[in-house]
Amino acid sequence: MRSLTPVEAAVAFALGGSVLAVAIPEFVRGLHASRLAEPVDGLKRIAASAVSVAQDNLSEPGFPPTVALTPPEVPRGVRADDPPGAWDQPTWRALGFSFDHAHAFSFSFESSRTASLAHFRAIAHGDLDGDGVVSTFEIEGEADSTGARILPGMYVDREVE
Amino acid sequence: MSEAVASRRISSHLLGWGLLLGSALAIAYVRPKVVAGVRETKLLSDVLTLPPPDMLVAASLGYRSALADFLYTTTVITYSIHSEERRRWEFVGQYLDSIVALDPHFCQTYRYADTFITYQPIGSPGPDEIRHARRLLEKGLQMCATDGRLWLSAGQYMIFIGPQFLTDEAEKADFRAAGAKMLTRAAELVSDNQNVQWQALAAAGVFTREGNREAAISFLERVYHIADDDQLKANIANRLALLRQEGALEEARRQAEVFNEMCARDLPFVSRTGMLVLGPVYDAASCAGIGRSAGPCAETWADWATTLRAAP
């Protein structure tokens, strides 16, 4: 079999290089972006569970107590397994929220209450590119004597960091 | 070899390497502009490149699960890229429909369906999208009937998330009623997450607010019998006692109202005590089957109350 002439090699290099130059960044971008489904779905699950809990006792509306960021250190550029017992805190148990696989985001839950209104904010932070700058996703809800509800929409800041 | 031939060969090599170098430089120069242009073009709108689900099934040539996996991955990535670009992805429902048409038992799709449709980076979903999510969830519950987490997630969506984007009050009530039934099922299914039963108790609240106390009691009784958690059992026992007490009070109130109406209609000049001495109105002819019965045909107030309780 004869070898490629320099012209043929140049054409092959140009074509192959063009394809790779488009495909590799898109693949990396897709891989990076695919992790954004985690905070959105996680916060939706937390919010739905929180209003379930509050709806259960409208005579004294309230959400589970505040719980700090879990895991405390936001994974930097990796999907990390949680240390044992990370989700055993009573609030996470009440919300039925945990991960049984490696994940890229840390979650917290803030709860406050006045005489007539209870409010919660669930927060997710991630650092997908590992540069120390974190993204923020938030969802809120409230409860009073008429019912518990998730406030429409989700606040997102620096999702691409 | 003559000098001329050697010279041509060297020229040819130089030309080749020159072309190679030129190509590399051209790529380096043109690529960023082209990529930027492509991204700018994509920012304007999306194009649905999928054929209808039934055609897609035929086009899969039998590799339905493989194509469903590929489309699911595409969906997750595309949803996330739209989140990055802060754009709504209007075709997400069609992608999900295609996946479940290819592989109806791919439960992961149903678990994320409501999230993908409802939580888009900008704007709120319209009623049609909410109904679309409901259809997908209901199909998922048929296909993955033993997935307790899906039942819980679907029930919570129907009660707490979907209705807030609907405008028709009757439709909202219908969503909540359907959601309560889904939570009921979630509580009955065995799960490694004991918390499911706690969260499913919200169904009792929905049934009660709908005025369907019997459904609430029935649901709580079922959960009570299958719950292992003592704290949960105690909680349910308290609720049941309260609901039954409220039920008894409601029944007494209803009897009193019917009794008062009857007194006012039949013997308005007789006191309530006198009426109790006289006994319930008894239309002998009607109660014997002649003509239309005008009352419960009870001869004592105790029978009257029993008949009334049995009436809807």
Side-chain angles (χ1 to χ4, degrees), chain A residues 113-136:
Chain A
R113 186 174 166 183
T114 62
S116 58
L117 186 73
H119 177 267
F120 81 83
R121 176 184 292 129
I123 304 163
H125 290 304
D127 180 8
L128 298 180
D129 54 9
D131 63 355
V133 179
V134 295
S135 58
T136 301

Side-chain angles (χ1 to χ4, degrees), chain A residues 3-158:
Chain A
S3 61
L4 290 174
T5 65
V7 174
E8 288 169 336
V11 171
F13 179 82
L15 288 175
S18 299
V19 170
L20 289 177
V22 172
I24 291 176
E26 281 300 312
F27 175 77
V28 172
R29 183 176 179 228
L31 194 66
H32 182 273
S34 67
R35 294 175 185 165
L36 290 180
E38 179 191 316
V40 178
D41 189 63
L43 291 181
K44 186 213 79 177
R45 279 166 50 205
I46 291 173
S49 298
V51 291
S52 289
V53 171
Q55 190 83 16
D56 208 25
N57 185 15
L58 289 179
S59 57
E60 204 174 326
F63 295 103
T66 295
V67 59
L69 205 59
T70 309
E73 296 293 326
V74 177
R76 294 189 67 165
V78 292
R79 296 165 80 102
D81 282 309
D82 295 312
W87 301 99
D88 284 349
Q89 209 278 346
T91 293
W92 293 131
R93 292 176 72 89
L95 296 172
F97 187 74
S98 65
F99 285 91
D100 53 7
H101 53 80
H103 60 102
F105 281 75
S106 288
F107 293 82
S108 64
F109 185 83
E110 294 174 1
S111 173
S112 61
R113 186 174 166 183
T114 62
S116 58
L117 186 73
H119 177 267
F120 81 83
R121 176 184 292 129
I123 304 163
H125 290 304
D127 180 8
L128 298 180
D129 54 9
D131 63 355
V133 179
V134 295
S135 58
T136 301
F137 295 74
E138 291 182 7
I139 193 168
E140 294 179 83
E142 60 185 24
D144 55 24
S145 57
T146 62
R149 63 202 74 87
I150 301 170
L151 300 182
M154 193 175 282
Y155 170 77
V156 181
D157 183 39
R158 285 197 300 240

Side-chain angles (χ1 to χ4, degrees), chain B residues 56-115:
Chain B
L56 196 65
V57 170
S60 71
L61 302 176
Y63 295 98
R64 297 171 57 153
S65 292
L67 188 54
D69 280 349
F70 172 74
L71 279 181
Y72 179 73
T73 309
T74 304
T75 302
V76 172
I77 290 174
T78 310
Y79 171 80
S80 302
I81 286 175
H82 278 72
S83 298
E84 274 188 5
E85 295 172 348
R86 306 240 168 167
R87 289 194 294 134
R88 283 190 75 73
W89 186 22
E90 56 188 309
F91 299 122
V92 64
Q94 281 91 327
Y95 271 75
L96 294 168
D97 284 342
S98 298
I99 296 167
V100 301
L102 285 163
D103 186 356
H105 295 281
F106 189 8
C107 299
Q108 186 85 348
T109 311
Y110 305 112
R111 288 190 205 121
Y112 283 94
D114 58 322
T115 304

Side-chain angles (χ1 to χ4, degrees), chain B residues 13-183:
Chain B
H13 273 84
L14 282 176
L15 179 67
W17 284 110
L19 273 173
L20 194 65
L21 188 63
S23 302
L25 288 173
I27 290 168
Y29 176 73
V30 171
R31 182 192 162 273
K33 291 183 177 178
V34 172
V35 168
V38 168
R39 285 192 179 151
E40 285 298 318
T41 307
K42 281 183 181 171
L43 278 174
L44 298 176
S45 64
D46 292 309
V47 176
L48 180 63
T49 52
L50 286 179
D54 49 348
M55 286 176 66
L56 196 65
V57 170
S60 71
L61 302 176
Y63 295 98
R64 297 171 57 153
S65 292
L67 188 54
D69 280 349
F70 172 74
L71 279 181
Y72 179 73
T73 309
T74 304
T75 302
V76 172
I77 290 174
T78 310
Y79 171 80
S80 302
I81 286 175
H82 278 72
S83 298
E84 274 188 5
E85 295 172 348
R86 306 240 168 167
R87 289 194 294 134
R88 283 190 75 73
W89 186 22
E90 56 188 309
F91 299 122
V92 64
Q94 281 91 327
Y95 271 75
L96 294 168
D97 284 342
S98 298
I99 296 167
V100 301
L102 285 163
D103 186 356
H105 295 281
F106 189 8
C107 299
Q108 186 85 348
T109 311
Y110 305 112
R111 288 190 205 121
Y112 283 94
D114 58 322
T115 304
F116 288 157
I117 290 176
T118 310
Y119 288 101
Q120 296 256 353
I122 56 165
S124 298
D128 285 341
E129 289 167 293
I130 297 300
R131 290 181 203 118
H132 194 157
R134 176 180 179 170
R135 282 198 301 276
L136 279 166
L137 287 172
E138 286 175 341
K139 180 168 185 179
L141 296 178
Q142 287 176 1
M143 295 298 145
C144 310
T146 56
D147 187 337
R149 188 165 281 285
L150 181 60
W151 282 94
L152 177 70
S153 167
Q156 289 177 332
Y157 178 80
M158 300 287 284
I159 294 172
F160 300 119
I161 299 174
Q164 66 181 315
F165 300 107
L166 298 173
T167 50
D168 182 10
E169 290 301 323
E171 190 175 22
K172 287 184 187 182
D174 179 55
F175 261 65
R176 292 195 183 102
K181 287 174 187 160
M182 291 172 187
L183 286 188

